[in-house]
Amino acid sequence: MLRRVSFLLLYGLLCYGTCIANGAALTPSEQSHMEVSLRMVGHQVLLSAGNRSSVVLPIDKRGKQYRVRFEAPFAFEPEAVGLKIDSVIGATRLSANYIVEFVDCDSHRVVHSYEIGAQNDVMACQGRSQPEACYELWITFLDLGSHPSGSIFQSGSSGAGGEGGTKSFLLAVLAVAAVTAITVYLFMRNTKPKLDSNEIRIGAFKFNKQTMELSIHDDRIELTGKEADLLQLLSESANATIEREDILNAVWGDDGDYVGRTLDVFISKLRKKLEADANVRIVNIRGIGYKLVLADA
């Protein structure tokens, strides 16, 4: 049980960390701001292309990437549309590090792209007008909420009811729980239960040769000394036949305490004491001896 709890806690921490890394941990208000901002970006792209009637389709999200789709084809000038996009992202304080890509809907090829970073800005295809076609706009935020003028997201802010602080607190709690869970798991894995060297398993029974006792579930069955010796001998050669003469010599030796059907009487007594487990039987091999049969062996 503890191992399962440890695993679930660790898995939860990893999932939560992955969600944050992929930008999936935005609060509802932050996500709404993101979608509104990106729709503003889409409208500015259309306005830059001279299209005032088409609409921006719902925003799609894949990790740190956001896809802006448009209702109708349009043509655009890379420099002009880039200024519009950067202006909206700057005004909405989404990020100072991002990649913009225009992708052809049919060929799925990138026809224009550029990167805005804290150190250097990189723009491809400058001065090359793009003809009218169906385009998708992909924006990848490399460092969400990193805008130097301050982010609307809570990673560096104390607004919105302390939502960012709540996320940090939950992450800290999960981290402590995960460390504790891992410690417990490793301790349990390296701690083996102490086994009684005098105790062996016979089917569902536990047989203690020192105390001459059989136990199954909560029941304890006492054995005589000869019964314990006989059961130990049979269990050591489980599912193998032991000749009658070998049993007599091993259990009774040269004491001369056995005559005639003494062995058969002790076998009968053991059979009754083993009746609680149908998978354990003592079988008479006619003319040879006896065999302890364990059905699950």
Side-chain angles (χ1 to χ4, degrees):
M1 181 63 182
L2 283 175
R3 290 188 179 185
R4 179 175 293 181
V5 172
S6 302
F7 172 78
L8 290 175
L9 285 171
L10 180 58
Y11 180 75
L13 176 65
L14 292 175
C15 287
Y16 188 80
T18 301
C19 288
I20 291 176
N22 289 334
L26 295 180
T27 64
S29 61
E30 292 170 348
Q31 186 64 35
S32 296
H33 175 82
M34 172 66 75
E35 293 181 4
V36 170
S37 300
L38 292 177
R39 292 184 70 84
M40 289 174 60
V41 168
H43 285 300
Q44 288 300 316
V45 168
L46 290 176
L47 290 175
S48 176
N51 186 329
R52 297 179 177 273
S53 58
S54 297
V55 299
V56 178
L57 300 178
I59 307 299
D60 293 332
K61 178 178 181 297
R62 297 179 185 176
K64 294 182 178 181
Q65 273 193 324
Y66 289 82
R67 181 175 67 162
V68 183
R69 296 177 298 129
F70 304 92
E71 181 185 39
F74 60 91
F76 66 93
E77 296 288 339
E79 291 88 349
V81 79
L83 290 174
K84 293 288 187 180
I85 293 172
D86 298 341
S87 175
V88 175
I89 292 178
T92 54
R93 295 179 291 167
L94 295 181
S95 176
N97 302 278
Y98 54 92
I99 297 174
V100 174
E101 297 172 295
F102 281 89
V103 179
D104 186 280
C105 299
D106 298 322
S107 66
H108 303 292
R109 296 179 60 183
V110 177
V111 298
H112 171 63
S113 63
Y114 68 92
E115 178 178 353
I116 299 297
Q119 300 299 326
N120 298 299
D121 297 341
V122 179
M123 179 173 289
C125 304
Q126 279 185 301
R128 185 183 304 171
S129 300
Q130 297 298 329
E132 182 174 298
C134 174
Y135 297 111
E136 293 178 351
L137 173 61
W138 286 87
I139 302 179
T140 304
F141 294 103
L142 304 176
D143 190 6
L144 196 61
S146 65
H147 199 275
S149 62
S151 169
I152 54 88
F153 300 111
Q154 303 306 312
S155 56
S157 165
S158 58
E163 291 171 340
T166 300
K167 289 191 289 185
S168 299
F169 174 75
L170 289 175
L171 185 57
V173 170
L174 277 173
V176 172
V179 170
T180 303
I182 293 170
T183 302
V184 171
Y185 175 80
L186 293 175
F187 175 78
M188 292 184 63
R189 189 183 66 176
N190 295 326
T191 303
K192 296 182 180 179
K194 294 182 179 179
L195 300 177
D196 189 338
S197 60
N198 295 308
E199 191 175 85
I200 61 174
R201 296 300 297 259
I202 301 176
F205 289 99
K206 292 180 182 179
F207 170 46
N208 192 309
K209 60 187 178 182
Q210 185 174 22
T211 61
M212 296 183 297
E213 190 176 67
L214 270 175
S215 62
I216 181 169
H217 307 308
D218 294 327
D219 298 328
R220 296 186 178 277
I221 306 166
E222 293 183 356
L223 303 174
T224 66
K226 294 301 181 184
E227 288 173 344
D229 292 341
L230 178 56
L231 183 56
Q232 181 179 351
L233 178 66
L234 291 171
S235 65
E236 289 174 348
S237 300
N239 296 300
T241 302
I242 305 178
E243 294 185 10
R244 184 184 187 89
E245 196 65 28
D246 291 337
I247 296 174
L248 291 171
N249 287 331
V251 176
W252 281 272
D254 297 326
D255 296 338
D257 291 339
Y258 63 90
V259 288
R261 297 180 58 81
T262 300
L263 174 58
D264 299 327
V265 172
F266 276 89
I267 290 292
S268 179
K269 291 180 179 179
L270 274 181
R271 281 174 174 161
K272 290 183 179 179
K273 293 182 177 181
L274 294 171
E275 285 179 348
D277 185 357
N279 293 318
V280 180
R281 295 180 297 122
I282 299 177
V283 178
N284 180 19
I285 308 301
R286 188 176 299 275
I288 300 177
Y290 290 95
K291 175 168 62 174
L292 179 67
V293 176
L294 303 180
D296 58 349

